[in-house]
Amino acid sequence: AIDDFDILPTTSPDEVRNHLRGDPGTEVQVKFLREGVGGKVNEPQTITLKRAVVHIPDVKYFGYVGDPRDGIGYIDLSGFANDAGREVRFAIKALQHGSELMAMKDGDAPKPNEDGLFVHDPTKLKGLVLDLRSNPGGLLTSAVDVATLFVPNGSDIVSAKGRGFPEILYRSKTDPLLSPNTRLAVLVNDQTASAAEIVSGAIQDLDVGVVVGK
């Protein structure tokens, strides 16, 4: 049960979700049965949970493909919420940091920057795979933020036009984070849509990477 709402075999997942959700900071009581808990008769247990805003990261995973010493990074980007650009930026810098660290000779003293990641030679990251498969998209501005990490400064990324407002051109205003010597591949499939298509399209049109898939 959720508070005074009894859950039956016919209760839909949407009903359960709607009763669990609420304003951040409010409390909800959940009553449940768990095998081996509550004595021999398995008496129902009740816990009180405090609701809070749950942040689901867009970067589900980042790491290396194969041997990390080969310097081939991988980023799984599943959406384009507000922090997508920041998360991809951190993933790229972490991969560059790791690649440079593994290429260092014994005795070299790394000097971390303000976020704790030293990146003096970004070319140590030899390649990067950006996985946009089954990415449904999200915010247009987040797509621009992510594309800016890869395309040259001053590049036109996308334009938006509607009946009620004039055409808006989104252009990169910063140097790309990825080194020109780092090979970039973008994975897509038939479920790559919206903002994800903007990023893959910009990377392909500006010839900074190859798009793999359909």
Side-chain angles (χ1 to χ4, degrees):
I2 303 172
D3 289 331
D4 296 327
F5 177 73
D6 292 329
I7 299 176
L8 305 174
T10 57
T11 303
S12 69
D14 286 339
E15 290 180 284
V16 174
R17 182 167 53 246
N18 291 338
H19 281 84
L20 285 173
R21 287 177 172 173
D23 295 330
T26 60
E27 294 183 344
V28 58
Q29 283 192 339
V30 178
K31 183 183 293 185
F32 62 95
L33 290 173
R34 181 177 178 182
E35 186 176 355
V37 177
K40 296 182 179 179
V41 294
N42 280 348
E43 296 180 353
Q45 305 297 301
T46 301
I47 59 173
T48 300
L49 304 174
K50 180 173 288 189
R51 295 183 175 99
V53 176
V54 178
H55 174 69
I56 301 176
D58 287 318
V59 174
K60 296 300 182 185
Y61 170 82
F62 68 88
Y64 293 96
V65 178
D67 190 337
R69 290 173 294 184
D70 292 336
I72 307 299
Y74 172 87
I75 299 175
D76 181 5
L77 183 61
S78 63
F80 286 86
N82 286 322
D83 292 333
R86 180 185 60 81
E87 292 176 18
V88 175
R89 172 181 290 274
F90 178 83
I92 294 174
K93 293 180 72 174
L95 292 169
Q96 290 173 332
H97 165 91
S99 296
E100 187 172 359
L101 183 64
M102 284 180 284
M104 279 185 172
K105 298 179 180 179
D106 293 339
D108 288 345
K111 296 179 181 180
N113 55 21
E114 67 276 1
D115 56 9
L117 301 176
F118 63 90
V119 181
H120 300 147
D121 186 3
T123 63
K124 298 301 182 184
L125 182 64
K126 303 298 184 182
L128 177 65
V129 178
L130 178 63
D131 195 343
L132 298 180
R133 290 176 297 178
S134 301
N135 186 317
L139 300 176
L140 173 61
T141 52
S142 292
V144 174
D145 290 343
V146 172
T148 298
L149 300 173
F150 304 104
V151 303
N153 188 2
S155 300
D156 295 343
I157 297 174
V158 66
S159 62
K161 184 178 181 180
R163 293 181 179 179
F165 58 90
E167 182 176 4
I168 301 175
L169 176 63
Y170 293 89
R171 177 176 294 158
S172 174
K173 298 180 180 179
T174 60
D175 291 330
L177 185 62
L178 204 65
S179 167
N181 295 321
T182 301
R183 300 293 181 89
L184 175 63
V186 182
L187 305 183
V188 299
N189 60 10
D190 57 0
Q191 297 181 53
T192 302
S194 182
E197 291 180 298
I198 292 174
V199 172
S200 60
I203 288 172
Q204 180 172 259
D205 292 346
L206 295 168
D207 199 25
V208 293
V210 296
V211 177
V212 183
K214 60 179 182 179

